[in-house]
Amino acid sequence: SQELEQSPQSLIVQEGKNLTINCTSSKTLYGLYWYKQKYGEGLIFLMMLQKGGEEKSHEKITAKLDEKKQQSSLHITASQPSHAGIYLCGADGAFNKFYFGSGTKLNVKP
Amino acid sequence: SAVISQKPSRDICQRGTSLTIQCQVDSQVTMMFWYRQQPGQSLTLIATANQGSEATYESGFVIDKFPISRPNLTFSTLTVSNMSPEDSSIYLCSVVKGFMNTEAFFGQGTRLTVV
C-alpha cells in the first residue's frame, strides 16, 4: 500500500501569514492530489501533480512535486480565515485506489 | 466531472442495527470506492465496489460487517451492519472516471453516530 506522511499534523497561523504543508511518500508518486475538507463536508479537489518538478497554483495556493516524485508541498500565501480546514494529500495506488495522508488541520486566526 | 449524491447526509442509530448508505453518480464511472473517516483521523479505504461482482475489501474490513452492492455503473450502497459506537464516523463515497492518474470525485459524506 502507499504510505503517505503528512506534516505538520496541525497548524495555527495568523491571518496574512504564509504556511507550508508537506506530504512525503514511501514510494515514487505517479499522481499526487491535494484536497481540502471542511468539517463535516466532502472533499474539495485542489490540485493534481504528476511530473517531477511540477508546480501548480490556484489563487493563493501553490503545490509542488519534487524531482524524485516522492515529496510534495502545499504553500498558502497570505492566509485567510477561508483557508481553514483539513488539507489532505492523496496518491494513486494500484487499480486506481487512492490512499491519503493523515491530514493537516489548519486554523487561521483573524 | 461527476456529481455524486450521497444519502443520508447524517443519521443517529441504535447499536446493533444496520444502516445502508447510498451513492448515486450522474454519469457512468469506472471505479467506485467507500472510505471511512473516524473522528480525528484521515480517510481510510474500506473497499472498492465492483460492478456486477463482489467488492474488494481492504485489510481490516470484511463483507459481513460492510456489505457493498454495485448493481450498475452509477450506483452503489454501503451497509454498516450490527453497529457499535466504534462505527461512528463519516463515510464517503468516491468515484474515478477513466483510468490511472485521473481526478477523483467525492460525495458529501454520511455522518453516522451510533448510540
Side-chain angles (χ1 to χ4, degrees):
Chain A
S1 64
Q2 187 82 36
E3 297 290 335
L4 293 174
E5 281 192 21
Q6 211 173 314
S7 63
Q9 285 188 318
S10 65
L11 200 51
I12 302 173
V13 300
Q14 199 68 39
E15 183 176 358
K17 296 294 186 183
N18 303 336
L19 62 106
T20 301
I21 300 168
N22 294 302
C23 179
T24 303
S25 171
S26 59
K27 300 179 182 179
T28 300
L29 296 163
Y30 293 100
L32 187 286
Y33 303 73
W34 282 101
Y35 299 91
K36 179 183 175 183
Q37 183 183 26
K38 289 198 170 182
Y39 182 73
E41 299 181 11
L43 294 179
I44 300 169
F45 171 76
L46 296 175
M47 273 169 275
M48 179 181 75
L49 304 167
Q50 292 181 264
K51 301 176 183 176
E54 186 175 7
E55 179 176 320
K56 287 186 178 179
S57 293
H58 176 67
E59 296 179 345
K60 295 184 178 179
I61 300 176
T62 300
K64 300 178 184 179
L65 182 61
D66 74 337
E67 290 290 344
K68 292 184 179 179
K69 299 202 296 182
Q70 285 191 283
Q71 185 166 5
S72 178
S73 61
L74 186 80
H75 184 77
I76 299 177
T77 304
S79 58
Q80 300 169 354
S82 60
H83 287 127
I86 298 173
Y87 289 82
L88 284 163
C89 65
D92 287 315
F95 306 107
N96 264 312
K97 292 181 182 178
F98 276 72
Y99 297 92
F100 293 91
S102 53
T104 297
K105 295 179 184 177
L106 171 64
N107 284 317
V108 180
K109 287 185 174 179
Chain B
S1 66
V3 177
I4 302 172
S5 173
Q6 191 174 331
K7 297 177 181 179
S9 58
R10 58 179 62 228
D11 207 342
I12 300 173
C13 301
Q14 296 289 324
R15 69 173 67 204
T17 63
S18 298
L19 175 72
T20 296
I21 302 168
Q22 298 181 359
C23 178
Q24 177 73 56
V25 191
D26 68 341
S27 56
Q28 293 185 345
V29 295
T30 312
M31 313 285 284
M32 294 182 79
F33 306 94
W34 287 98
Y35 292 87
R36 179 177 73 182
Q37 184 176 26
Q38 293 176 301
Q41 298 186 24
S42 182
L43 291 168
T44 302
L45 180 62
I46 298 173
T48 303
N50 301 309
Q51 192 264 328
S53 65
E54 198 171 280
T56 306
Y57 289 84
E58 296 297 300
S59 175
F61 297 97
V62 295
I63 188 171
D64 290 345
K65 176 66 176 177
F66 297 101
I68 288 172
S69 78
R70 189 177 175 193
N72 55 54
L73 293 174
T74 63
F75 185 77
S76 177
T77 66
L78 168 75
T79 299
V80 186
S81 302
N82 188 26
M83 289 183 284
S84 66
E86 291 71 35
D87 294 319
S88 297
S89 294
I90 296 173
Y91 292 87
L92 274 167
C93 164
S94 172
V95 305
V96 172
K97 300 189 80 171
F99 293 94
M100 287 297 290
N101 297 326
T102 56
E103 183 180 343
F105 302 90
F106 295 86
Q108 290 302 303
T110 296
R111 177 175 295 280
L112 171 62
T113 303
V114 183
V115 297

